Amino acid sequence: ERAYRVHAAPIGEGTGLYILLFRDQSETRRIEKMRSDFIANASHELRTPLASVSGFIETLRGPAREDDRARDHFLSIMHEQTSRMARLIDDLLSLSRLEMKPFSKPSEQVELNRLVSGVADSLGHIAADNGIEIKLDMPEDPLRISGNRDELVQVFQNLIENACKYGSGGGKVVVRGLPASDGNGCSISVRDFGPGIPQEHIPRLTERFYRVDVETSRAQKGTGLGLAIVKHILSRHGARLTIRSKLGEGSTFAVHFPGPSVVATQVEQFH
Ligand code: ADP
């Protein structure tokens, strides 16, 4: 559906002729709607744990006042809910910081082999909790790109953590680095052997707050913002994300970095 704003201006005096200008408002409306949906979603996501915490405070002030066991139980739920709010606020701040940054390509020299294996090591405990072993398959030669180290750490943290959390049951996660076949750029893929993602969800996974299953995401301490942050960081790096998944076999999230002369800014998904 398209929306236009129309301006009429007379041509000359007394000619009775007018020029009509149609200004397309669809894009402005679309952005306004995205903003208001985002605020509504963020408020709702914060309200839910807040309501739970204030409910438990009431209970602790009243009926559970003298009950030690109930008090410990309620306090641990309140702790979980406040942690969830803190994670959400951290992710919202990350997104807004990324949006504030000027759109110039980050230019530190980064060696991806080392960066990715550092991230994989730091996620060992989350992998183990989900019965996953992270296997690294990196080439001998360094995969060098120019980028922002902290932002790239965040990308691979999100992708590898997701693979461990949503791919549990698959036993392993394979992180593979490859130079591009034409010698320009390189890619890093994160593959899990979990239940996979139904195809219809794949194009929407990088939208803010989009989750295939809200309950599973919450149980996994998810905020629904991880892949939106990944998409944002990659577009600043001129890199692309591809997502492939097959039900019952698992999913592969791959990041393709362009070579020095190529600039691609789009984030793409295909089946
Ligand atoms: P969350 O905080 O919920 O993990 P993300 O933006 O990181 O949010 O991911 C969005 C959704 O994509 C997740 O809720 C999950 O449903 C799905 N997802 C992400 N990675 C995987 C994966 N490796 N396997 C299956 N589903 C995944």
Side-chain angles (χ1 to χ4, degrees):
E1 196 187 309
R2 303 202 75 81
Y4 296 94
R5 174 166 287 172
V6 186
H7 299 270
I11 306 177
E13 223 169 88
T15 59
L17 293 174
Y18 286 82
I19 188 162
L20 293 180
L21 289 173
F22 291 84
R23 193 173 290 167
D24 191 344
Q25 296 281 295
S26 320
E27 187 58 12
T28 323
R29 293 249 174 108
R30 195 181 65 81
I31 292 170
E32 273 168 13
K33 179 159 183 344
M34 264 174 56
R35 265 185 207 290
S36 65
D37 284 353
F38 175 62
I39 292 171
N41 278 328
S43 315
H44 176 74
E45 292 290 330
L46 282 168
R47 262 221 154 276
T48 314
L50 189 63
S52 150
V53 170
S54 59
F56 282 117
I57 291 175
E58 279 314 302
T59 317
L60 286 172
R61 291 170 77 188
R65 201 179 200 127
E66 310 298 336
D67 182 340
D68 287 351
R69 272 187 55 194
R71 196 174 51 221
D72 284 352
H73 178 57
F74 294 155
L75 283 173
S76 85
I77 299 177
M78 286 162 72
H79 182 243
E80 228 168 73
Q81 297 295 338
T82 49
S83 308
R84 182 171 143 201
M85 289 166 75
R87 279 195 302 276
L88 196 63
I89 289 167
D90 284 347
D91 280 355
L92 287 169
L93 282 175
S94 285
L95 263 180
S96 96
R97 262 189 231 118
L98 283 165
E99 279 176 354
M100 301 269 286
K101 280 192 184 169
F103 201 86
S104 58
K105 206 176 157 196
S107 61
E108 266 175 277
Q109 283 296 309
V110 180
E111 204 196 281
L112 286 173
N113 316 43
R114 204 180 299 163
L115 182 138
V116 169
S117 40
V119 170
D121 283 348
S122 72
L123 292 172
H125 62 290
I126 293 184
D129 286 350
N130 286 280
I132 297 274
E133 191 189 345
I134 303 176
K135 292 184 184 285
L136 278 177
D137 180 5
M138 289 287 157
E140 297 262 307
D141 291 336
L143 299 170
R144 287 202 188 92
I145 59 151
S146 60
N148 177 298
R149 201 178 304 273
D150 294 343
E151 291 180 8
L152 291 168
V153 163
Q154 210 173 349
V155 165
F156 293 107
Q157 237 164 19
N158 281 336
L159 294 181
I160 300 174
E161 196 174 324
N162 276 352
C164 294
K165 292 187 319 192
Y166 301 110
S168 65
K172 65 177 174 181
V173 162
V174 179
V175 184
R176 177 168 291 147
L178 281 177
S181 51
D182 62 0
N184 254 329
C186 59
S187 65
I188 305 281
S189 62
V190 180
R191 178 169 186 198
D192 70 66
F193 298 83
I197 307 164
Q199 294 299 325
E200 66 273 21
H201 292 287
I202 290 180
R204 301 197 58 192
L205 292 183
T206 56
E207 286 175 22
R208 292 159 179 195
F209 297 115
Y210 192 85
R211 286 165 283 197
V212 175
D213 175 349
V214 176
E215 283 316 308
T216 312
S217 160
R218 290 216 174 118
Q220 290 289 2
K221 301 189 169 22
T223 60
L225 294 173
L227 290 176
I229 294 172
V230 165
K231 172 179 161 174
H232 227 296
I233 295 174
L234 292 184
S235 82
R236 283 167 48 71
H237 283 76
R240 285 184 306 128
L241 176 70
T242 57
I243 305 171
R244 296 168 194 263
S245 190
K246 211 161 182 202
L247 285 182
E249 292 186 14
S251 314
T252 305
F253 287 69
V255 179
H256 309 271
F257 292 97
S261 56
V262 186
V263 177
T265 50
Q266 167 205 11
V267 172
E268 192 181 271
Q269 294 128 342
F270 56 86
H271 313 153

